[in-house]
Amino acid sequence: MRILQTNNRYNHKPFTGRGASLYAGVGDGPDAVQFRKLRILGCRFVRGSGFTISNGLKKACILAQAADPTNNLAYTVPPEWQDQTVWIQVRTFWDHVENTHNFDPLRLGVDDAGEIVPEIHGEGKIIAADKRDGGIYAMRVAYIPTTHGTPPDELVIRKTAGPGSLADVATEYDSIQNTRNYTIETEALTDAATYTFALIAKSGSTELQLDTITFVADAAGPPTPTGLTLTAY
């Protein structure tokens, strides 16, 4: 991976006063972010990276800074970052001391024009497909959000293999309450064929397939009770 170079203005007493610094890097994971002689982990900490100042790393690999009380950081994405995955992190500082425990690195997709691409980065799982009366299946699903990317508006169950045409079924994703577990009912599967369904996180036209499940449908589902008898004790 290419080592980021920065202007020398960040190398002599880079944390004078109070403000925030922008760090970034191009790569597949959060350790693409360079923080002095360290790499950012996928949490709030850093680790040694094994490279030295002599190979081009500056005292502080800061790309941009903002002095308090300014609450915006501006940075122009270089052409070589286009069509790449970029990880960024913002770290605050005060009187030559930099905060080493800040928010987790953020992942951004950059297109060929240098614009941020809307992407959903969460993870999800189909926990079970429970049989219900009339050939309906209740999909119990879980969704784990991330601190970066676009949050989904809804979670969708979509048939990807099997006979006939079935409409997508969806449930609204509750990003405010951060709800993780949902139940989504399919349309009635009125045969005993093999079906594959996909769990999809969706925000407008942006989609991310999270998981799939394949099973043989039971058109009838569990037997329907035909009567109820109450016995007194």
Side-chain angles (χ1 to χ4, degrees):
M1 176 187 153
R2 182 178 65 86
I3 295 176
L4 296 175
Q5 304 291 326
T6 61
N7 191 299
N8 287 332
R9 66 193 173 107
Y10 295 128
N11 296 320
H12 178 65
K13 296 183 178 181
F15 307 116
T16 301
R18 185 168 71 176
S21 304
L22 171 68
Y23 296 86
V26 177
D28 295 330
D31 61 354
V33 178
Q34 294 184 1
F35 170 68
R36 298 192 181 187
K37 294 174 66 179
L38 305 170
R39 298 283 189 188
I40 303 298
L41 292 175
C43 58
R44 300 169 191 263
F45 304 99
V46 295
R47 69 180 179 195
S49 60
F51 54 84
T52 63
I53 296 294
S54 61
N55 70 359
L57 185 65
K58 304 298 184 181
K59 179 179 179 182
C61 291
I62 301 168
L63 299 179
Q65 274 188 334
D68 187 68
T70 302
N71 56 11
N72 291 298
L73 274 167
Y75 180 71
T76 301
V77 174
E80 57 267 28
W81 283 13
Q82 295 177 5
D83 285 328
Q84 301 281 345
T85 297
V86 178
W87 290 84
I88 69 170
Q89 190 177 56
V90 175
R91 288 178 175 266
T92 54
F93 61 88
W94 192 352
D95 291 342
H96 303 288
V97 177
E98 187 175 33
N99 185 356
T100 57
H101 304 292
N102 255 18
F103 65 78
D104 295 347
L106 304 183
R107 172 184 159 190
L108 303 174
V110 179
D111 64 18
D112 56 7
E115 299 294 332
I116 296 175
V117 179
E119 297 175 330
I120 299 171
H121 298 156
E123 298 179 354
K125 186 73 175 177
I126 300 175
I127 301 171
D130 296 333
K131 297 178 183 179
R132 293 193 176 173
D133 296 348
I136 293 173
Y137 279 75
M139 301 287 186
R140 291 191 287 117
V141 305
Y143 180 76
I144 302 174
T146 62
T147 56
H148 48 80
T150 300
D153 298 323
E154 57 185 7
L155 299 176
V156 176
I157 290 293
R158 177 178 298 165
K159 182 183 77 69
T160 58
S165 176
L166 294 176
D168 291 351
V169 289
T171 187
E172 183 179 355
Y173 172 65
D174 187 351
S175 60
I176 297 177
Q177 298 296 328
N178 198 24
T179 305
R180 298 195 175 193
N181 296 310
Y182 299 83
T183 299
I184 308 174
E185 292 189 353
T186 69
E187 292 187 7
L189 308 181
T190 56
D191 52 35
T194 299
Y195 289 85
T196 299
F197 286 88
L199 171 63
I200 296 170
K202 188 174 181 181
S203 175
S205 60
T206 301
E207 295 186 354
L208 174 66
Q209 181 170 307
L210 303 167
D211 195 16
T212 62
I213 188 171
T214 300
F215 58 89
V216 177
D218 176 0
T224 302
T226 57
L228 177 64
T229 300
L230 298 178
T231 301
Y233 287 94

